[in-house]
Amino acid sequence: MTEMTIIPSAGVATPAPFTGRHLIAGAWCDSADGSVSKRHSPAHGTHVSTSAKGGAADAHAAIAAARAAFDQGDWAFSSGASRAAILLKVAELIERDLDRIALLETLESGKPISQAKAEIGGAADLWRYAASLARMIHGDSHNSLGPDMLGVVLKEPIGVVSMITPWNFPFLIVSQKLPFALAAGCTAVVKPSELTPSTTCILGELLIEAGLPAGVLNIVLGFGDPVGEVLSTDSRVDMISFTGSTGVGKRISAAASGTLKKVSLELGGKNPQVIFPDADLDQAADAITFGVYFNAGECCNSGSRIIVHEDVAEALTEKVVALSRRVPFGDPLDPATQVGAIISPEHMAKIDGYVQAAVADGARVAIGGAAFGVDGVGPQFYQPTVVTDLRPDMPIACDEVFGPVLAVLTFKTLDEALRLCNGATYGLSAGVWSKDMSTCLSFARRVHAGTVWTNTWMDGYPEMPFGGFKESGQGRELGRYGLEEFLEVKTVQMRIGDTRQPWVASSQGL
Ligand code: NAD
């Protein structure tokens, strides 16, 4: 343990606990039954926030407000330009308040402050990008239907959208959904994770300041049961946009089927990176450590499974282990920290359980492999960990561990590597490392994943769509596809001129 790079507690002064309330029809309010829940910082154990704990009545009130705001029509029929102006203003306000939001995000989630700042800055860019899309909503026209007919295909907002978000990137993920839905003209009810609700409330404050009309955005704080379940089943909701675990995604999909509402799911992953012998191993090793330790591995895109050619497996593993030793982990408030605290003791036990089960089954821990506490709190950190000597069917090699734990597998041929990648139930993202572009492209064409990175890992751009194959989800966020998710297609057919529709009257000469 002492051989690793540990950042001690920074002792930074933290703000008074944040008070989070529901936003319903433009007003901040307490739960109907007065319930609250408290959140303590996973890194420091200090009280960070007290939030209203919603019940079914609060969820129903928020849905009613979103439904009324949509049906009233002012927002849905407003010009793209006016919606864009609000979204642009929100981007500006996020940047103005970046430090405050990032600090709260770090305190609630345990992520390093440098990564929280990057997350909030990236979110501002999403609001700006979505503003540009608000002015580009258009369908088609058909003038080849016949001399007297004109057809128009309209793109219209889908209606009321429920958005349910996880705790790992609370501000970024709501910003992958909400500005795109608002650009489309939808209204929304957002339920952030019960573990990290506060920055979503700040976003609500900024939207009000930017001039969003009352009822267009509603926020209900609380747990999956009952708030998330009401948002998934209520017939007044037209679409549910969910990001979270595959297990909850399946539940939501089943719950939503009762009213056949549209469902968009961004779920888990066990993302492979395949390293060929001709790859630049130094470049690959650095990207691999970033890919698995970023956000303490609590990341859907974590590159937590490397599949390395057996000729270079030892050399690459040594490089990754050497870099792992140098990754600064510890107090997330220290600007030098790159791996912060684990979100909860329950999640810590899950991560460690995977590692210990692998060891009991014959795996070797090349570095790390233990939880670690400081300041009498915790253990709240998990050491950057590399596990080798694995069989592909071991849980640590197939399941989403969601911690700073790298599973190392080996291969001999491209076909074998593809079998290992495509044998997974997940299909979120994949990576390939080789100097030969045709190797990279054959891999990219054949791997089952929504995103493929070649000689890089986890770059993201608002322009590039994101989503998963198989049990990693359905639908896409970002890019123009991210807007299309929130649009319905309406066909309008028009008879023009003096002609009449031919049937009884015209056939009988009437
Ligand atoms: P989770 O599924 O436990 O919870 C996500 C949200 O769903 C929370 O707001 C929770 O309160 C709510 N919820 C729980 N039960 C519900 C129910 N029955 N009905 C409705 N809502 C319910 O996920 P988490 O632990 O917060 O986040 C981690 C997971 O999210 C990981 O699996 C990760 O891969 C995934 N994730 C995916 C992406 C992506 O874009 N693909 C991004 C981030 C996180």
Side-chain angles (χ1 to χ4, degrees):
M1 187 187 308
T2 46
E3 63 182 6
M4 306 189 92
T5 308
I6 302 158
I7 304 270
S9 178
V12 173
T14 52
F18 182 87
T19 302
R21 303 167 85 202
H22 311 300
L23 175 63
I24 299 177
W28 294 101
C29 46
D30 296 321
S31 296
D33 67 3
S35 298
V36 294
S37 63
K38 282 187 176 180
R39 177 73 178 146
H40 291 83
S41 158
H44 312 96
T46 49
H47 177 200
V48 183
S49 56
T50 300
S51 306
K53 184 176 163 195
D58 305 297
H60 284 299
I63 293 169
R67 186 77 256 167
F70 186 80
D71 292 346
Q72 186 267 347
D74 278 0
W75 181 252
F77 288 98
S78 62
S79 70
S82 62
R83 295 199 296 275
I86 292 178
L87 303 189
L88 288 171
K89 182 72 184 164
V90 174
E92 196 183 304
L93 296 176
I94 292 171
E95 282 165 351
R96 182 196 69 189
D97 289 358
L98 190 147
D99 287 345
R100 173 171 83 111
I101 304 169
L103 179 57
L104 195 48
E105 189 95 318
T106 284
L107 291 172
E108 268 190 347
S109 71
K111 72 175 61 195
I113 188 73
S114 60
Q115 289 167 23
K117 286 183 180 177
E119 177 187 340
I120 311 306
D125 196 32
L126 290 173
W127 285 84
R128 205 163 269 131
Y129 173 72
S132 69
L133 295 180
R135 305 187 70 164
M136 301 212 291
I137 297 169
H138 59 84
D140 305 307
S141 61
H142 292 255
N143 55 354
S144 58
L145 306 177
D148 309 320
M149 294 300 293
L150 185 62
V152 178
V153 180
L154 302 176
K155 296 280 184 76
E156 298 195 341
I158 197 165
V160 175
V161 184
S162 291
M163 298 177 185
I164 301 180
T165 57
W167 48 261
N168 60 339
F169 295 95
F171 201 85
L172 187 73
I173 286 171
V174 71
S175 299
Q176 291 185 185
K177 303 176 185 297
L178 187 56
F180 293 83
L182 296 179
C186 296
T187 63
V189 181
V190 176
K191 190 204 89 62
S193 167
E194 58 277 11
L195 298 175
T196 53
S198 299
T199 57
T200 299
C201 294
I202 294 186
L203 182 62
E205 288 170 5
L206 300 184
L207 276 151
I208 291 171
E209 186 179 342
L212 191 77
V216 173
L217 167 66
N218 304 275
I219 299 171
V220 191
L221 308 177
F223 289 69
D225 177 13
V227 176
E229 291 187 4
V230 172
L231 297 186
S232 313
T233 48
D234 194 296
S235 61
R236 295 167 294 177
V237 172
D238 300 294
M239 172 178 174
I240 173 150
S241 173
F242 171 76
T243 299
S245 61
T246 294
V248 173
K250 287 179 182 176
R251 254 182 99 160
I252 286 178
S253 190
S257 69
T259 50
L260 286 183
K261 56 176 94 297
K262 181 172 177 180
V263 179
S264 154
L265 301 170
E266 297 286 342
L267 309 176
K270 182 71 178 181
N271 311 297
Q273 300 195 62
V274 173
I275 301 97
F276 284 88
D278 67 338
D280 178 332
L281 296 188
D282 290 315
Q283 188 195 358
D286 207 21
I288 287 164
T289 52
F290 162 64
V292 68
Y293 301 137
F294 177 70
N295 214 51
E298 295 169 331
C299 186
C300 60
N301 264 331
S302 170
S304 57
R305 186 164 64 122
I306 61 168
I307 302 173
V308 52
H309 193 278
E310 58 181 24
D311 288 354
V312 291
E314 198 178 325
L316 181 77
T317 307
E318 271 173 21
K319 288 176 190 293
V320 172
V321 167
L323 289 174
S324 301
R325 190 168 289 122
R326 297 172 66 92
V327 173
F329 75 99
D331 191 331
L333 289 174
D334 191 310
T337 296
Q338 287 186 328
V339 177
I342 299 301
I343 189 78
S344 66
E346 296 75 26
H347 191 55
M348 177 72 85
K350 181 182 153 197
I351 294 169
D352 195 46
Y354 274 110
V355 175
Q356 302 319 327
V359 170
D361 203 7
R364 184 176 77 88
V365 173
I367 189 165
F372 180 79
V374 294
D375 292 345
V377 184
Q380 70 272 57
F381 304 106
Y382 203 80
Q383 295 175 332
T385 297
V386 177
V387 185
T388 65
D389 299 7
L390 297 171
R391 292 189 319 276
D393 62 342
M394 285 176 165
I396 200 170
C398 323
D399 295 356
E400 185 182 49
V401 174
F402 227 55
V405 177
L406 181 68
V408 182
L409 297 166
T410 59
F411 76 98
K412 290 192 184 69
T413 64
L414 172 62
D415 281 347
E416 186 189 1
L418 280 163
R419 263 197 309 279
L420 287 169
C421 293
N422 292 343
T425 53
Y426 294 113
L428 190 59
S429 54
V432 56
W433 293 87
S434 166
K435 288 191 185 124
D436 179 354
M437 249 319 136
S438 74
T439 302
C440 292
L441 289 178
S442 351
F443 175 85
R445 290 291 308 274
R446 291 163 68 194
V447 73
H448 303 159
T451 297
V452 184
W453 283 292
T454 73
N455 295 316
T456 186
W457 187 259
M458 212 156 40
D459 313 275
Y461 301 91
E463 293 85 348
M464 300 299 284
F466 178 67
F469 284 22
K470 303 198 281 186
E471 294 197 9
S472 288
Q474 58 193 43
R476 289 293 177 271
E477 293 188 337
L478 310 183
R480 66 185 167 81
Y481 302 88
L483 174 77
E484 294 286 336
E485 288 287 329
F486 297 108
L487 293 170
E488 265 290 13
V489 173
K490 181 186 277 178
T491 297
V492 180
Q493 291 170 200
M494 296 170 273
R495 179 165 295 280
I496 54 178
D498 295 332
T499 60
R500 290 166 61 185
Q501 188 154 24
W503 209 48
V504 176
S506 56
S507 67
Q508 296 180 18
L510 300 174

